[in-house]
Amino acid sequence: PMRFVRTHKNRIGEMLQAKSRLVMPGHRDPQIGLYRTDAPTTSGLAVYVMAVIAASLGWTGMIFDVMTAFLTGQPLDREVYGRAPKEGLPEMDKSKRVKPYALLGILKGAYGLTEAPRLWYPRAREILKEIAFIELRLARAVCTLRDSNKKLVGMLTLHVDGGLFFGDQKSRCYQQARVQLDQKFNIKKWVTL
């Protein structure tokens, strides 16, 4: 059965923040290994080069974390089922309460499912393309942002369910891209470097 994984995310001196996540037992998937699970992430070298370019241009850098990234990926291309946790699932919005150990059909990536990162990555690329980011051919998961005059105004890297975004704060194109990233990716937190 699925289970709840509860963690406490806080830094010293900050208020305790409890976090719960419903996790599939992906290691017990009878079809494990039959589906692609790879998802490109930014290399350390790409981040270093991007930081050097950004520093030389006087750009600001920000780290972001996408909320529920794996749950917003592309649909599964196979049938996957899982049992509800022993506590069941509570009633939420328009969904009724789910009884303990009830059989559930999984439609998209879920935490613990081995192909969840793979399902999220193509969806993330689609969103970035809609915003006008262009992925570099030489460095997967690294994207550039150019304004209408083809001037480089931003660079972004993806790493699993988060990323790093450098750019020219004065550029309207950069500012608009930041707003669209917030809206389309459901970013839970931006941290300025």
Side-chain angles (χ1 to χ4, degrees):
M2 294 180 225
R3 63 188 179 99
F4 284 105
V5 174
R6 293 181 176 93
T7 58
H8 300 289
K9 289 194 154 197
N10 68 313
R11 293 185 179 148
I12 296 172
E14 289 183 357
M15 186 183 224
L16 183 67
Q17 292 181 352
K19 180 178 179 181
S20 294
R21 179 175 284 167
L22 187 62
V23 179
M24 294 279 299
H27 65 286
R28 299 179 73 192
D29 184 347
Q31 295 178 319
I32 198 166
L34 300 178
Y35 293 88
R36 287 185 71 176
T37 60
D38 61 307
T41 58
T42 304
S43 71
L45 178 60
V47 171
Y48 178 75
V49 170
M50 193 171 80
V52 169
I53 292 168
S56 70
L57 295 170
W59 288 355
T60 302
M62 302 187 86
I63 298 171
F64 63 90
D65 190 22
V66 179
M67 190 158 42
T68 62
F70 292 171
L71 305 179
T72 59
Q74 293 183 327
L76 285 162
D77 58 358
R78 65 181 178 127
E79 287 188 22
V80 176
Y81 297 92
R83 295 245 175 235
K86 64 182 177 182
E87 306 92 357
L89 296 172
E91 181 179 329
M92 289 184 64
D93 298 328
K94 297 177 184 177
S95 300
K96 294 181 181 178
R97 182 186 185 296
V98 175
K99 294 180 181 180
Y101 303 111
L103 187 64
L104 303 170
I106 310 302
L107 304 175
K108 288 188 167 194
Y111 293 101
L113 197 60
T114 57
E115 68 256 46
R118 176 71 187 180
L119 295 168
W120 184 74
Y121 178 73
R123 179 65 187 129
R125 280 182 43 200
E126 287 173 7
I127 291 169
L128 290 170
K129 190 174 180 180
E130 288 170 14
I131 298 173
F133 284 94
I134 298 170
E135 186 175 30
L136 300 180
R137 287 183 177 169
L138 295 173
R140 301 286 307 269
V142 178
C143 302
T144 59
L145 177 68
R146 295 182 181 273
D147 65 14
S148 58
N149 297 320
K150 305 290 185 211
K151 179 184 174 193
L152 182 67
V153 295
M155 297 179 294
L156 181 141
T157 64
L158 286 177
H159 186 76
V160 189
D161 62 349
L164 180 59
F165 186 31
F166 284 103
D168 180 359
Q169 294 277 343
K170 295 177 231 143
S171 165
R172 184 167 169 75
C173 179
Y174 168 85
Q175 293 169 5
Q176 289 173 337
R178 166 101 194 282
V179 169
Q180 287 181 305
L181 284 168
D182 257 335
Q183 294 168 345
K184 294 178 182 260
F185 269 153
N186 193 16
I187 293 176
K188 79 173 115 174
K189 190 174 185 180
W190 287 94
V191 177
T192 304
L193 299 174

